[in-house]
Structures are given as C-alpha cells and as structure tokens.
Amino acid sequence: MAPLSLYGIPFCGKGICMKRKRVLSGIQPSGSLHIGNYFGMMKRMIKYQESDDLFTFLVNYHALTTVSDGEFLRQNTIEAAADYLALGLDPEKAVFWVQSDVPEVLEATWLLSNVTNMGLLERAHSYKDKVSKGMTPHHGLLSYPVLMAADILLFGGEVVPVGKDQKQHLEMTRDIALRFNATYGETFIIPEAHIEDDIGLIPGIDGQKMSKSYDNTIEIFCEKAELTTQIMSIITDNTPSDAPKDPETSTLYHIYVLFLDDAGRKELTQRFVNPGLKYSDVKRELIDIVWEYFEPFREKRASRFSNKDGVVEILKYGADKARAEASVFLARAKKNVGLNYDE
Ligand code: TRP
C-alpha cells in the first residue's frame, strides 16, 4: 500500500500505526454563531474529533482584552458553547471547556512572559491594528499572544488549525516555546501551525468578510423571519434579469454554494451565466435551503442544549480533563524554572 501522509508525517497504512495528533483550537465566545463561523471553522473542527485528539475551548480570558460588559461575556460564553455542541461537537470525543475553568493557563502565561521579548509583542499585527483603530494599548492587549502561547503549550497542542490572521500568533508561540526550552530545558512541545487559506473568506451580506463586528452575518439559530431579512439583504448588483450574471463577483452566489454539492454548484453557475435569473428568486430559495440545512441542529439545540445547567455540566466535565493534561506540563515547567523549592 502506498504510504499515506497526515500533516506531512508519513504513516504506514496498516491502520495500527496511524498516530492521532493533538489538534487544538481556541474560539472567541462572541455570541450566537453565524454561517461564516460554521463553514470557516466549526465544521472542520468537528471533523477533527473523528480522526484526531481534539482539544477545543472558548477563550473568555482573551475576550476580556476587548469586552468590558460582564453580562454580555457571560451570556455569549454559554450561547457559543450550546451552539457548538448542537452543531456536532461531541464532549466524549473531544475535550471541550471554557478557558477560565483551567486557571493554570494564567500561571503558565507568567512563566512564558519571561522568555517573551518586548520587541516580539510590539511587532504583533493584531495588537498594532487594534491600537491603530483607536483602542487604548493596555497590558492585556499586548500580552494577548503570551496567553495564546500558554493555551497551546500547556495542553501539548501539536497541530493548531487557524486562519491567516492568526499565523503570526502561531509563529510567536513557536518562538516562545523554543526560547523556553532553550533556557530551561525541554519542557514544551513545539506546535505546528496549520494555516487554512480559505478560513475567514466567507462573505457577509454586504460582501465584506462575514463578521459580528461588521454586522453583516447570517445567523444559524435565529428565527425564520430574521433569517429572511438577513438573506433578502444580501447585496446584489443591478444586472437586469434578462442579462447573464457573473457568479465570481456575486456575494449571493458565494453564500449559496456553501450549501451545495458539486452538481448543485454547476447547476447554479449555469443559472447565473444564462439570462433569466432573478436575484430575488434565488434569495427566496436560499432562505429555505439554509433553514432546512440547519433544521436538525436547531432541533438538537432546542431539545438538548437549551438548558443552561446541562451545558455547564458538559463544560465542567471537559475542564476536568483539560486540567489533568495541563497539570503535567505545568509541573514540569515549574520544576524546570526552579519554583519547586520544597521538593
Ligand atoms: N486568537 C484566536 C482568535 O482570535 C483565539 C485563540 C486563543 C486561539 N487561544 C488560541 C486559537 C489557541 C488557537 C489556539 O481566533
């Protein structure tokens, strides 16, 4: 049998020697999920739980760098958890928790801070962007990448799938880990970034990247009336219905194809390039397609995850497992830096 390759690492193909990788990802708890979150990230994370050792968590400590409304954060954290579970994340297959339930990550952040050069932090694009948009440059914002490095290193993350916007943060994590190991001895696993080029390229209803902060989302678990309003507002050009349309530049087309298989995509392309297509008809069709696509998830959301206590219980279960893992790396790190004075 030809050798196969997973993340560039060959495995023998007999089945038994295929090593599961620890895949790790933190997600901002920014409220109810939209189809950009789903097709951009969640759907593929949920796939990883089948083939790999998936660790995934809601980064509420990170959220504190930009959110100062406690009620908003509390609410958004539980909503995001319920949505993620309803979409198929399985707490038995993956380890799923809320970042602040494993406070060891803050202890690790401090240990890592001492091998993180100021120059490195000051060069971070995401920090510079936020400051250039008018945010006051506070310490949390500057040390955001150190907390992210702790997130990854403390759980032995080997593969971190992220969009292009997080590439630099991943490089910083590697840099910090290498420096820590070089200074104090082998402690952390050096993670590999897995840059998914198409992450984050899903357009919102105004044609810009779909994002809560642009207020251009199509939500997954909203009421049908709201879904209708969102889809009917997808931006279109003014090509008359009896003229051919260009699918490549059409936001409506790019959103619609997310829900189609290859044959369906070909058919939609044909409808666009041939005269006669009316955007409003396509939008009306799309409303039903989106509604039906998420129907099973909506039912699951309502029947199994609408109860807050149940969701909290799942999160605590995940936190216990995550904590057990973190304690191994943290103990090793504390020992290597010399905090184990009592041993
Ligand atoms: N910074 C990431 C984002 O904004 C979120 C994040 C925090 C993360 N910790 C992480 C992603 C660890 C991957 C691994 O999307």
Side-chain angles (χ1 to χ4, degrees), residues 24-26 28 57 59 62 144 148 151-152 160 162 166 169:
L24 177 143
S25 183
Q28 293 281 352
F57 46 100
V59 295
H62 276 110
Y144 182 112
M148 180 158 161
D151 274 342
I152 297 170
V160 185
V162 286
Q166 295 298 314
H169 281 157

Side-chain angles (χ1 to χ4, degrees), residues 153-168:
L153 302 177
L154 199 56
F155 305 98
E158 293 172 282
V159 174
V160 185
V162 286
K164 272 192 232 146
D165 63 324
Q166 295 298 314
K167 183 168 182 261
Q168 193 193 26

Side-chain angles (χ1 to χ4, degrees), residues 34 144 146 151 161 218 221 237 253 263 272 278 326:
H34 54 72
Y144 182 112
V146 193
D151 274 342
I218 296 174
F221 295 112
D237 59 22
Y253 176 85
F272 265 74
K278 259 178 138 174

